[in-house]
């Protein structure tokens, strides 16, 4: 199963429409700390290593071809030993942060998100408000296999149109954070092809 998600920005009126039509699921706050080295070795490959509250996660683009990467779908590895193997650090260490540090992988971004989750017509709608003054809406649906990703993406766009959302590319929280706080890192990711300008 693959989580397909698309990001949108919301006006007050659009937010009110979602609150009226969709079913409220939950409201949660979490803090993400992202790690990389001074050469941006992970994020240059579009790999995102984070600690969400106390759990480590590695997000990597699905598939190998540039075409698939464009679809912007990520695999999420959540088992610390698998993450260690993937990024080439020692496994079975009790202090994973220390192990990362030994490999020059240090925190470069810390952000707290308050996420309000809704459902409607089989879609999940997340409204994320970040502590650095940025907010986003994400619409998600599960694809049963890679061959379904494009179809599900179209369904998400149709659903967004029904909600009256504007279909345009919106920077994710990581991209917006780096744009605001670390232009050198941001420019390196544009140069590597991780970000499109
Ligand atoms: C994958 C990624 C980043 C990590 C944050 O991922 P994102 O899905 O935005 O965060 P979040 O908190 O919604 O995760 P969830 O709770 O859904 O697991 S930061 C940048 N990227 C990649 C990326 C990219 N290459 N280009 C653009 C325009 N945006 C994001």
């Amino acid at each position: 199963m693959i989580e397909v998600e698309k990001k949108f920005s919301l006006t007050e009126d659009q937010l009110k429409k979602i609150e009226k039509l969709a079913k409220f699921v939950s409201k949660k706050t979490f803090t993400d700390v992202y790690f990389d080295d001074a050469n941006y070795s992970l994020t240059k490959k579009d790999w995102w290593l984070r600690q969400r509250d106390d759990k480590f996660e590695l997000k990597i683009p699905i598939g190998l071809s540039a075409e698939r990467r464009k679809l912007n779908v990520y695999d999420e590895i959540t088992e610390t030993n698998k993450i260690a193997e993937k990024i080439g650090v020692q496994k079975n260490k009790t202090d994973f942060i220390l192990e990362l540090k030994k490999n020059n992988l240090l925190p470069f971004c810390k952000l707290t998100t308050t996420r309000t989750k809704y459902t409607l017509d089989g879609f999940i709608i997340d409204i994320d408000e970040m502590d650095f003054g940025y907010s986003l809406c994400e619409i998600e649906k599960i694809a049963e296999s890679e061959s379904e990703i494009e179809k599900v993406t179209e369904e998400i766009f149709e659903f967004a149109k029904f909600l009256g959302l504007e279909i345009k590319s919106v920077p994710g929280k990581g991209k917006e954070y780096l744009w605001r706080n670390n232009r050198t890192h941001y420019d390196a990711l544009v140069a590597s092809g991780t970000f499109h300008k």
Side-chain angles (χ1 to χ4, degrees), residues 158-172:
E158 276 304 308
F159 180 66
K161 265 194 233 160
F162 157 76
L163 289 174
L165 308 188
E166 199 185 340
I167 312 289
K168 63 163 193 200
S169 150
V170 175

Side-chain angles (χ1 to χ4, degrees), residues 3 5 7 30 32 34 43 45-50 52 57 59-61 69 72-74 76 108 111 113 115 117 126 128 130 136 138 140 169-176 178 189 193-196:
E3 210 177 76
E5 46 182 50
K7 299 178 203 309
F30 51 85
D32 293 319
Y34 286 89
T43 52
K45 290 193 286 193
D46 206 9
W47 289 19
W48 299 87
L49 172 63
R50 73 183 173 203
R52 172 161 291 183
E57 300 173 342
K59 276 193 155 194
I60 55 176
R69 221 179 113 167
N72 237 326
V73 183
Y74 292 83
E76 233 169 273
F108 67 89
L111 53 93
T113 302
R115 172 169 291 173
K117 200 178 268 299
D126 283 341
D128 282 354
M130 274 61 75
L136 273 177
E138 269 185 16
E140 301 173 18
S169 150
V170 175
K173 59 191 73 162
K175 189 176 185 188
E176 187 65 22
L178 290 179
L189 299 193
T194 295
F195 289 159
H196 306 284

Side-chain angles (χ1 to χ4, degrees), residues 72-173:
N72 237 326
V73 183
Y74 292 83
D75 200 4
E76 233 169 273
I77 304 172
T78 52
E79 216 183 292
T80 309
N81 279 344
K82 278 200 185 139
I83 296 174
E85 218 171 84
K86 195 85 192 162
I87 62 175
V89 309
Q90 268 200 303
K91 293 200 291 191
N92 301 311
K93 293 288 166 187
T94 40
D95 190 341
F96 195 57
I97 292 185
L98 183 63
E99 197 45 38
L100 294 177
K101 199 171 173 182
K102 282 189 201 156
N103 289 273
N104 304 312
L105 293 164
L106 301 170
F108 67 89
C109 159
K110 181 177 180 178
L111 53 93
T112 297
T113 302
T114 299
R115 172 169 291 173
T116 315
K117 200 178 268 299
Y118 297 88
T119 62
L120 181 60
D121 291 344
F123 295 88
I124 296 168
I125 307 167
D126 283 341
I127 300 188
D128 282 354
E129 292 167 284
M130 274 61 75
D131 59 346
F132 66 96
Y134 187 57
S135 53
L136 273 177
C137 165
E138 269 185 16
I139 302 181
E140 301 173 18
K141 197 171 181 189
I142 301 294
E144 298 299 332
S145 66
E146 278 190 35
S147 63
E148 265 203 3
I149 293 175
E150 284 194 70
K151 183 178 107 243
V152 171
T153 303
E154 275 314 305
E155 287 173 15
I156 291 176
F157 286 136
E158 276 304 308
F159 180 66
K161 265 194 233 160
F162 157 76
L163 289 174
L165 308 188
E166 199 185 340
I167 312 289
K168 63 163 193 200
S169 150
V170 175
K173 59 191 73 162

